[in-house]
Amino acid sequence: MSWLRRLSRDRSASYKEETPMPNRPSSFADHQSPPYKDTQYASTYNSQDRLQSYRPTTAPSQDPQQYNALPIQRPQESSGNPTARNTPPLTQAPDPLTRAFNEAVKPYLEKIDRLQAEIEDKNLDIQQLEDERADMHAWIDKRGLRADVPASIAAAMNSDSTSAETLAHHLDRKMTILNHDLHRLQDSLSSHLPTSTFTATLATLLPAIESLSILPHGASLAFELLIKLGGNLNSHGGEEGYNNDGDIASRAEFYSRLDETMVEVVRRRLEHPDEEDPLWMVGRDVKRLEKTGGYLRTKIGLQAYFPRSLDVMRYEVKRGEMGVNGRGGGGNVSPQ
């Protein structure tokens, strides 16, 4: 048995020389070591060789891009987390220059807001004034006083598209009222009322008729009102008034003023025909005026009844008969 113990000691000594024993903890070294067995470590294939067999044959790559191959998933790009989607992005604090700019323009922005509020208040005031003006115009039209309003108010009222028809209606109504008042005045007097009183009263309507002829669609309406105004004068006066030299002179002067206004109305009507007066029968109106003039010449000795107006209208009729872009003898309007 001695030779077996010697052989075991030799084999253990040779193994210790080849493979060092690992260091044990100091705490374990203080206690008694377990009995040693010579079969715990193999002599042909040690633990270091076994660990070496599991190591990779090539060294790991040192390229830092290898670890950045996969993209980094940001919180806002995550589709599975609703909290990450609803989280607002963090805003960077403004730099000193931006903060200074905001502080500088802040008073101006406040002033702009204040001015906008003032503009809104002014717009409300303007709308209220326009409503009041519309109510005032409606009140004037309801009472037929448009022909008597001042020029500033008339200019505002005539901006309406139907202002010509409304003004003509009011003028006709006022003419009728004046005619009735003159008749009542004549009936209340025992003596003859001078013609100059009639002409002075009726002449107050001429400026309003001139203003009517300037409005759109107003020339034809002014033409008829002038003829009616002359007819109202012819309805006044008795036999003694017709032969009075003063009455004859007043009547002639009034018709002269009517003729001056009528010339402008006729020219404006011929130069600017409107859509509501496309077929002005000039020849028919010439015959109507000539017939009335002949009656007045015989009845009261009036020698001139719209003489210049008739000349302009006859000339237009001749142009139409000659085919020179005018009104024909039958009164039809040629294409303009």
Side-chain angles (χ1 to χ4, degrees), residues 95-155:
D95 55 3
L97 182 61
T98 303
R99 186 165 55 252
F101 174 79
N102 294 335
E103 293 294 334
V105 301
K106 184 178 180 180
Y108 298 98
L109 295 177
E110 295 177 353
K111 185 176 181 180
I112 290 174
D113 295 338
R114 186 172 63 255
L115 291 176
Q116 289 179 349
E118 292 179 0
I119 290 174
E120 293 179 358
D121 295 339
K122 295 300 181 182
N123 289 335
L124 293 177
D125 295 339
I126 292 173
Q127 183 63 38
Q128 183 178 0
L129 292 175
E130 289 180 351
D131 295 341
E132 294 177 358
R133 183 182 64 177
D135 295 340
M136 181 185 65
H137 291 176
W139 185 89
I140 292 173
D141 290 341
K142 184 177 180 179
R143 286 154 181 79
L145 302 175
R146 178 173 288 201
D148 299 324
V149 297
S152 58
I153 300 178

Side-chain angles (χ1 to χ4, degrees), residues 194-264:
T195 305
S196 59
T197 303
F198 291 97
T199 57
T201 304
L202 297 177
T204 57
L205 299 175
L206 290 178
I209 295 176
E210 292 177 354
S211 301
L212 172 64
S213 64
I214 301 175
L215 299 178
H217 319 303
S220 59
L221 299 174
F223 181 87
E224 298 296 333
L225 286 177
L226 287 174
I227 294 177
K228 183 176 181 179
L229 190 62
N232 287 337
L233 178 61
N234 298 332
S235 63
H236 295 285
E239 293 293 336
E240 58 183 13
Y242 292 148
N243 298 325
N244 188 302
D245 295 337
D247 291 341
I248 294 175
S250 299
R251 192 180 301 273
E253 182 181 358
F254 178 75
Y255 272 107
S256 176
R257 294 186 59 185
L258 284 181
D259 192 23
E260 292 178 1
T261 306
M262 180 67 83
V263 168
E264 298 298 328

